[in-house]
Amino acid sequence: MKIANRMRRQLLATVGIMAGALAMPMVALAQAPIVIKFSHVVADQTPKGQGALKFKELAEKKFPGRVTVQVFPSSQLFGDGKELEALLLGDVQLIAPSLSKFDRYTKKIQVFDLPFLFDDIAAVDAFQAGPKGQELLGSMVNRGLRGLGYWHNGMKQMSTNQDKLVRPEDVKNLKFRIQASDVLEAQFRALNASPQKMSFSEVYQGLQTGVVDGQENTWSNIYSQKFFEVQKTIAETNHGVIDYMVVTNAKWWDGLPADIRKGLGEAMVQATAHANKLANDFNEADRKKIAEAGKAKIQKLSKEDVAVWRKSMEPVWKKFEGDIGRDLIDAALKSNK
């Protein structure tokens, strides 16, 4: 009887030890931080790079030990052509591609490519913060993508190797480099110019050798890529916007604990404000540097000039209205007020 009791106590002790051993990994697993990989294709010192680092700082401050954000700049993990696929596969949790990358997921995003739709970056801000802009962030959930915020690169300016760039007729028959976008192609065809798709890295040489006569870009891109050195005139058109959307995997995001999801959303709002202020500051500073360099003339446009450009672009708006939606176009125009 005593032997049986002793054996039973030993068995219970062994079971207890085994249960404890099994429980320890479970506890460790429960306490492991949520790791968020934020991959992007530009350098840390850019507004986008700084926005990503600000998000990391804010998220880890809100959830010490519970959330770890790993930022991978300069295509360290994935380049432009692979990052969306990587996000959908769960290999990364956050990316911030150009808005033009999303037209294969929703044609509505093409509203940002429509020329001379927004007066300035303040109008873009108003639209993005408004109901229609916020709706767009959720417009790709059925394709596995959820937008968390818009980050600025800035407003586009138009440049050419000609001495005059004031009205639409000044670009007739000129060759312009464009991003791969149906809207941008239609934009230059409506101006009786020739759109040429060309990678960003090839633009300087294309301008220098005359393969293309002009291009459209933000002040910061025109300065950093030295386009102003191989163009005669830069018209301050503000005719379009180059922005990014910070996106996440919708299934992953919806599976986060509610308090984590809420806190990360708040961190993204703050990081967005930080990145966008930097982008605006960069563009203002780089415009000044271009003017001081004296190599390209900066051509200002009057309200009358802009009205003529806008009128010439209305057929482009009409062409894409069915895909984008008249409601979005009207909301964008109202943001100018």
Side-chain angles (χ1 to χ4, degrees), residues 160 162-167 169-171 174 233 297 299:
T160 72
Q162 307 295 301
D163 292 319
K164 185 183 178 186
L165 183 53
V166 179
R167 293 287 176 100
E169 56 265 28
D170 296 330
V171 303
L174 298 183
T233 306
K297 175 180 67 177
Q299 178 69 63

Side-chain angles (χ1 to χ4, degrees), residues 47-93:
K48 186 198 288 192
Q50 289 296 300
L53 292 173
K54 176 58 73 171
F55 175 77
K56 170 182 170 66
E57 173 195 325
L58 293 167
E60 292 181 347
K61 185 177 180 181
K62 280 178 178 288
F63 301 108
R66 294 184 67 194
V67 169
T68 297
V69 180
Q70 300 173 350
V71 178
F72 299 91
S74 302
S75 302
Q76 287 178 6
L77 285 185
F78 300 99
D80 253 341
K82 295 289 185 182
E83 59 180 2
L84 273 162
E85 180 185 352
L87 183 74
L88 290 169
L89 289 172
D91 294 333
V92 294
Q93 286 69 50

Side-chain angles (χ1 to χ4, degrees), residues 40-50 73-75:
H40 63 83
V41 300
V42 297
D44 276 336
Q45 63 266 29
T46 61
K48 186 198 288 192
Q50 289 296 300
S74 302
S75 302

Side-chain angles (χ1 to χ4, degrees), residues 25-308:
M26 296 295 290
V27 171
L29 186 63
Q31 292 176 343
I34 296 169
V35 177
I36 301 171
K37 294 181 180 179
F38 193 153
S39 174
H40 63 83
V41 300
V42 297
D44 276 336
Q45 63 266 29
T46 61
K48 186 198 288 192
Q50 289 296 300
L53 292 173
K54 176 58 73 171
F55 175 77
K56 170 182 170 66
E57 173 195 325
L58 293 167
E60 292 181 347
K61 185 177 180 181
K62 280 178 178 288
F63 301 108
R66 294 184 67 194
V67 169
T68 297
V69 180
Q70 300 173 350
V71 178
F72 299 91
S74 302
S75 302
Q76 287 178 6
L77 285 185
F78 300 99
D80 253 341
K82 295 289 185 182
E83 59 180 2
L84 273 162
E85 180 185 352
L87 183 74
L88 290 169
L89 289 172
D91 294 333
V92 294
Q93 286 69 50
L94 289 174
I95 58 174
S98 170
L99 291 173
S100 62
K101 293 286 196 306
F102 296 108
D103 63 357
R104 57 182 157 151
Y105 299 99
T106 173
K107 295 297 183 184
K108 292 179 181 296
I109 207 76
Q110 291 178 319
V111 67
F112 293 107
D113 276 345
L114 290 180
F116 289 91
L117 187 63
F118 298 101
D119 283 347
D120 49 33
I121 203 69
V124 175
D125 276 330
F127 174 76
Q128 291 176 345
K132 292 298 180 182
Q134 292 298 297
E135 278 179 26
L136 277 176
L137 292 176
S139 64
M140 298 176 286
V141 169
N142 63 334
R143 305 293 300 276
L145 300 172
R146 181 179 293 282
L148 300 179
Y150 298 101
W151 287 8
H152 293 329
N153 183 320
M155 299 300 289
K156 290 190 291 187
Q157 320 303 329
M158 199 177 295
S159 71
T160 72
N161 57 11
Q162 307 295 301
D163 292 319
K164 185 183 178 186
L165 183 53
V166 179
R167 293 287 176 100
E169 56 265 28
D170 296 330
V171 303
K172 186 177 180 180
N173 297 326
L174 298 183
K175 301 185 295 291
F176 278 86
R177 178 267 174 177
I178 63 165
Q179 295 184 72
S181 162
D182 292 341
V183 177
L184 299 182
E185 186 171 350
Q187 166 188 306
F188 283 105
R189 295 206 184 282
L191 295 168
N192 295 308
S194 176
Q196 308 285 326
K197 294 176 183 176
M198 182 182 290
S199 69
F200 188 58
S201 61
E202 297 173 344
V203 179
Y204 180 88
Q205 186 176 4
L207 294 170
Q208 187 181 42
T209 59
V211 173
V212 288
D213 303 303
Q215 60 85 52
E216 53 174 15
N217 242 300
T218 61
W219 289 116
S220 61
N221 284 350
I222 292 170
Y223 181 75
S224 66
Q225 299 300 310
K226 303 185 187 301
F227 297 157
F228 68 97
E229 293 183 352
V230 287
Q231 295 279 263
K232 288 185 178 179
T233 306
I234 306 170
E236 197 161 8
T237 50
N238 287 326
H239 66 279
V241 62
I242 299 179
D243 267 5
Y244 313 106
M245 185 187 289
V246 183
V247 288
T248 187
N249 183 302
K251 185 177 180 180
W252 173 82
W253 180 261
D254 293 342
L256 290 172
D259 65 321
I260 297 284
R261 193 165 58 244
K262 180 175 181 292
L264 292 180
E266 293 166 352
M268 184 56 66
V269 169
Q270 292 177 269
T272 297
H274 179 73
N276 288 350
K277 183 182 184 306
L278 280 178
N280 293 342
D281 291 346
F282 270 50
N283 279 301
E284 287 180 17
D286 288 343
R287 183 197 181 283
K288 185 178 179 182
K289 291 173 187 174
I290 292 168
E292 290 171 348
K295 293 188 176 183
K297 175 180 67 177
I298 294 178
Q299 178 69 63
K300 283 185 168 292
L301 302 185
S302 68
K303 288 184 179 180
E304 292 75 18
D305 295 328
V306 172
V308 173

